[in-house]
Amino acid sequence: MNLKFHQLFTASLYEPKKLAAFRLLPIGKVIQYIFIFVFLYTIIAFLQFLIGDHALFQGTTETAEIGKTIGFLIYPVAFVLQLVIITSYLFIRVSIFGIIGVLLLKLLKRRGEFRFMWRTAAIAATLPILLTMVFEFLPSMQNYSLWISSFVHLLYVWRATTYYPKKPR
């Protein structure tokens, strides 16, 4: 399967049957797809930091002094730190939903392994990741962001598992 990003993106939003078929994609392609969202999310988080969250260092005299000592280095450090945190968050999230997907496969009496379900959960994370990014700009929704995006992710994983092959009787 030689799919382009926009094909994976569109199918991940609208076609649960293809979402299940993406379990056969090479792992490198799936990780590449996830890293596109990692970088997009990191850029958004870094821009938020640049716009106003760096005022964090002006809160107390100690933090203001640390901010002055670090100087310009705060920006590359903040970018790398955000990149690492977001990467960890997304890969842990996909792994958790991969485990949930394996449990759904057993419940629905479908064939599949964790490695296949991980790939499906990774591609199924498209809309939940986008929702999480949008909720970053809606302060009133930030408290519910994790719950809403997790529910949507669960729905996508569940819908994809219904297209996995059935276990032989």
Side-chain angles (χ1 to χ4, degrees):
M1 285 185 195
N2 191 10
L3 295 170
K4 300 200 180 322
F5 173 78
H6 67 87
Q7 292 171 316
L8 276 171
F9 181 79
T10 306
S12 71
L13 295 175
Y14 301 113
E15 302 179 57
K17 190 171 187 176
K18 281 189 180 177
L19 195 57
F22 290 153
R23 71 185 182 276
L24 303 174
L25 284 174
I27 192 69
K29 185 75 169 176
V30 175
I31 290 175
Q32 180 184 23
Y33 183 78
I34 288 293
F35 266 103
I36 290 171
F37 288 104
V38 166
F39 286 119
L40 181 64
Y41 199 172
T42 302
I43 289 168
I44 289 171
F46 186 68
L47 288 175
Q48 281 185 316
F49 173 77
L50 288 178
I51 290 169
D53 289 347
H54 69 278
L56 192 75
F57 284 100
Q58 309 309 326
T60 64
T61 55
E62 291 96 13
T63 56
E65 191 173 313
I66 291 171
K68 287 179 186 173
T69 305
I70 295 173
F72 183 74
L73 283 177
I74 191 70
Y75 299 108
V77 169
F79 183 82
V80 169
L81 191 58
Q82 287 172 336
L83 179 68
V84 169
I85 290 169
I86 290 168
T87 302
S88 301
Y89 166 72
L90 289 180
F91 276 86
I92 290 169
R93 179 186 181 96
V94 168
S95 297
I96 289 170
F97 280 94
I99 293 168
I100 292 170
V102 169
L103 296 173
L104 286 171
L105 286 174
K106 290 181 185 206
L107 187 67
L108 297 171
K109 296 182 173 81
R110 304 285 178 159
R111 285 185 302 157
E113 300 173 18
F114 176 74
R115 63 187 173 137
F116 296 130
M117 187 47 70
W118 193 92
R119 292 172 183 155
T120 298
I123 303 296
T126 302
L127 184 61
I129 292 170
L130 293 174
L131 285 173
T132 303
M133 284 188 258
V134 168
F135 289 150
E136 289 292 322
F137 296 103
L138 303 171
S140 62
M141 293 298 292
Q142 285 180 353
N143 293 336
Y144 308 106
S145 170
L146 179 65
W147 295 106
I148 293 169
S149 63
S150 294
F151 180 72
V152 170
H153 201 165
L154 182 63
L155 285 176
Y156 271 82
V157 169
W158 170 74
R159 190 72 179 115
T161 57
T162 61
Y163 289 102
Y164 269 63
K166 291 183 179 178
K167 282 186 179 178
R169 293 184 187 229

